[in-house]
Amino acid sequence: MKVPHWRIILPLLVFIQILFSHTSAQTVNPKARLLYEQSQQYILERKFDQAVSVLEKAIEREPNYPEAHFRLGNVYELKSQVEATENYADLSRQHYEKAIELKPGNPSFMSAYSILGDYYLRKADYTKAKDYYQKFLDLKPPKQFQVTMAMQQIANCNFAAEAMQHPLAYKANAMTKELNKFALQYFPVLTADQQTVFFTARKGLDARSDENIYVAYRKGNEWTEPAPLSDRINTVENEGTCTISADGRTLVFTNCDGRQSFGSCDLYVSYKIGNEWTEPLNLGNKVNSPFWESQPSLSADGRTLYFTSDRRGGYGKRDIWVSKLGDDGLWGVASNLGTNINTPDDDLSPFIHVNAKTLFFSSKGHIGMGGFDLFSSELEGGKWSFAKNLGYPINNQDDQVSLFVSADGKKGYFAHEERQGRKYISSQLYEFDFPEEIAVKHKSNYLKGIVYDAKTKKSLEAKIELFNLNDGALEAVMKSDRKEGSYLTVLTEGASYGLYVDKEGYLFKSLYFDYSGTKNNEPVVLDIYLQPIEKGAKDILNNLFFETGKWELEGKSKTELDKLMALMKNTKGLRIEISGHTDDVGKDSDNLELSLKRAKSVYDYLINAGVEKNRLTYVGYGETQFAVPNNSEKNRQLNRRIEFKVL
């Protein structure tokens, strides 16, 4: 558990008290008093071992010497922080408790109560911790920050005691030995299909050990041996926490002092083309500052970036900020996420779920179990809801500093850290089944495949846009890989989607996905074939909607119609036929009339929008040109369609 800043300040305040205070009026063994006074000089010279030695000798001669116990408790407290040994913390506790037993309620021993509260909070003994914090407050601490922190720790104790009465179904397991092969590995992130994992690792426990980014791939139920990501990304300097877009092709990572930067640590971006990563670029001064930036988290499409910074203009020490990628390809000025997320204390390690609506993060400023806890917030009406603690035992008395949640909301990934004081002794990657009680509200799954030329079968780089057809909002923009043609995007519960694949010289491809319910939607693997624009080329307009038996276009058809308008506008000389088709249910004559009227509705929309009449024609084919046999409701639905063909 990290040492709270006020635990560092309090021992310094104690120094002021103990070095200039007098022993009690009671009769003290003169040799014990002399040894006690000798300790003062040792402490000033920071010779803590000698100070311990003479104080222990003083207590041997005078066992009930409260000031000696108090001073020895303070020296052990300092040693526990500097030398990172838990044994010193326990020795500190023993002597502090003895001091206040001998002189209960003594204002000179005030800091002992808060330090004992911290000790028992780390041990998850919330009853004792709360009692000591309350006694600390009863002594009227002179500084407001001391009062504020003690009151928050009492609130933490109350929350923790209640949370432990209602534990979540939670069991975390270490990931494979192949992944946990380093001395330290942490901050795991995965692609949306959970087939690739990226993480940061060090081969040694020493803080000077080089920090690099590694990647591994899932093969069946196993993971491959982790490999350094790229020589263009990993350097002799430290490459820290990273984030990946859903398709695994946009990487943002932290680098400190190793590249041209604006501050101590900056954020950089690299793109994967084929199997190679591009030379990293600094994200610029609208994201980076002269201060510390780290712990990035990208949205699924790689166009919104959340990160941690201690720059000015925040609400506390380290805050969470956000920047968006503009249509010009530049990142916008970062803005603070506000007080529902950020506090006067540390708020860090943001992770935006691929649904773009659920944010997970770590905070020491919100009420929790003590130290850093994990929280979630939902984006509602353009604003983030107040942070919600994920509960026990995901959170406990130790620090929980990072979390990654899979697209379908079923799995959580994190690094379990073990420390002695401030020093790491272990950090391993873990996974767990995400408890249903705190599951993400909007689960997601992925759609992936390869984009091809329909004639040559060569892979294509193409623009891919995902629209929410309920409100027409553009939710994601990406490109298929330049060399491989591969793409991956995310579909989230609660909406119906239109996916558009576009490339100059080709007819656009439109696809429809109905995720408006909350059923468990499965991943989709779908290769897409684009038709070159040439005479006779045709495709289906999958996102035009009519009521049964009607020909008036529904409002959510606008996205598709605008795409068709853009094709006509951008392709000079293009003439197309719009054709209507039906299934074989009902009279032939009725189906013929319905198909004609539906085709004309599309024709009329385009004419009214400014397309010249000599570039358009429409026809109704009724049930005469089936796409598939009419032997199921699913197939009949496929036969009810509007096509467009190059004339």
Side-chain angles (χ1 to χ4, degrees), residues 366-398:
H366 292 285
I367 301 302
M369 307 285 294
F372 283 99
D373 273 16
L374 294 170
F375 296 81
S376 67
S377 176
E378 295 290 332
L379 188 61
E380 299 169 346
K383 295 183 179 180
W384 292 103
S385 65
F386 191 78
K388 179 182 179 181
N389 192 292
L390 293 190
Y392 175 83
I394 289 180
N395 291 317
N396 57 32
Q397 72 275 12
D398 297 323

Side-chain angles (χ1 to χ4, degrees), residues 580-584 591 594-595 622-623 626 630 639-641:
H581 303 265
T582 68
D583 58 26
D584 63 354
N591 287 335
L594 180 62
S595 66
E623 57 188 72
F626 298 149
N630 277 299
N639 284 325
R640 300 190 294 268
R641 67 197 190 280

Side-chain angles (χ1 to χ4, degrees), residues 12-77:
L12 298 177
L13 296 176
V14 173
F15 265 165
I16 297 172
Q17 295 172 359
I18 65 177
L19 294 181
F20 299 99
S21 63
H22 300 286
T23 57
S24 58
Q26 70 186 59
T27 302
V28 175
N29 180 293
K31 290 187 177 181
R33 183 191 296 273
L34 180 62
L35 290 165
Y36 173 82
E37 291 172 352
Q38 287 177 358
S39 71
Q40 177 173 309
Q41 185 61 36
Y42 286 132
I43 292 171
L44 285 172
E45 295 173 359
R46 304 189 71 79
K47 296 178 179 178
F48 297 138
D49 289 337
Q50 292 92 324
V52 167
S53 178
V54 295
L55 286 169
E56 286 180 338
K57 289 176 182 178
I59 290 171
E60 284 178 15
R61 293 179 178 276
E62 188 68 73
N64 293 329
Y65 193 171
E67 284 80 9
H69 281 289
F70 178 74
R71 182 173 287 181
L72 185 54
N74 190 246
V75 175
Y76 276 132
E77 167 71 9

